[in-house]
Amino acid sequence: MSGLIYTATRSNFSSGTALTDLFVLGTSSAVPILVHEIRVTSANLTDVRQPLRLIRRTAGPTGGASVTPEPINLRNTVAAATTVTSLPTSVGTAGDLLESELWSILMPYSRLISVKPYIVPVSSWLALELAAAPGSAYNVSFVVKFEEL
């Protein structure tokens, strides 16, 4: 790893019942990123199978909650160029499907991507999409670790 590494975290928020993205990483026009880790957990006490899709989007989202990436190394005083949005009101246009999974929300959804991290080129978006609208809302948390090159 030779770039600046950040984490984006959002804790204990409602998934809602709409078809949307849990989070979207948006790169700037000059800085691509490598995604090293994705972890999603739920506070639900009963099992629900939630289809998830990790996709590259060709257009960005609108609305939603802004999440501020934090540097892992405290000596890094550079603000992240990458934007992070959670639960956008309007998702962007779908592009390449990277992976798809039927997630049991009683267990963490965890991807440690150290050998071949996902590359998100400049002016692109990577989203973790709820591929089906939840039947009822549940509380969820996520952390994403990424490196700006």
Side-chain angles (χ1 to χ4, degrees):
M1 293 188 247
S2 60
L4 300 174
I5 301 174
Y6 299 87
T7 59
T9 303
R10 187 168 183 210
S11 298
N12 203 29
F13 63 97
S14 176
S15 66
T17 57
L19 184 65
T20 190
D21 296 330
L22 284 179
F23 66 80
V24 181
L25 301 174
T27 59
S28 73
S29 61
V31 182
I33 64 171
L34 298 176
V35 178
H36 291 285
E37 183 178 4
I38 299 170
R39 190 171 55 248
V40 180
T41 57
S42 167
N44 224 32
L45 299 175
T46 56
D47 194 19
V48 173
R49 301 300 167 118
Q50 177 66 59
L52 296 177
R53 296 186 336 154
L54 188 63
I55 58 175
R56 283 195 185 103
R57 294 203 177 277
T58 58
T62 58
S66 178
V67 178
T68 303
E70 298 293 334
I72 288 182
N73 186 333
L74 296 178
R75 291 184 299 167
N76 173 11
T77 59
V78 178
T82 302
T83 60
V84 182
T85 305
S86 180
L87 298 179
T89 50
S90 175
V91 298
T93 306
D96 299 327
L97 174 64
L98 299 177
E99 65 178 66
S100 180
E101 182 172 316
L102 189 58
W103 173 45
S104 167
I105 67 171
L106 291 177
M107 301 297 292
Y109 171 87
S110 185
R111 294 291 178 269
L112 184 58
I113 317 161
S114 57
V115 176
K116 285 186 144 186
Y118 290 121
I119 298 170
V120 186
V122 297
S123 302
S124 297
W125 298 267
L126 181 73
L128 185 62
E129 175 190 65
L130 298 175
S136 60
Y138 50 87
N139 282 10
V140 64
S141 301
F142 70 78
V143 62
V144 181
K145 184 189 295 183
F146 63 91
E147 177 181 5
E148 293 188 336
L149 303 177

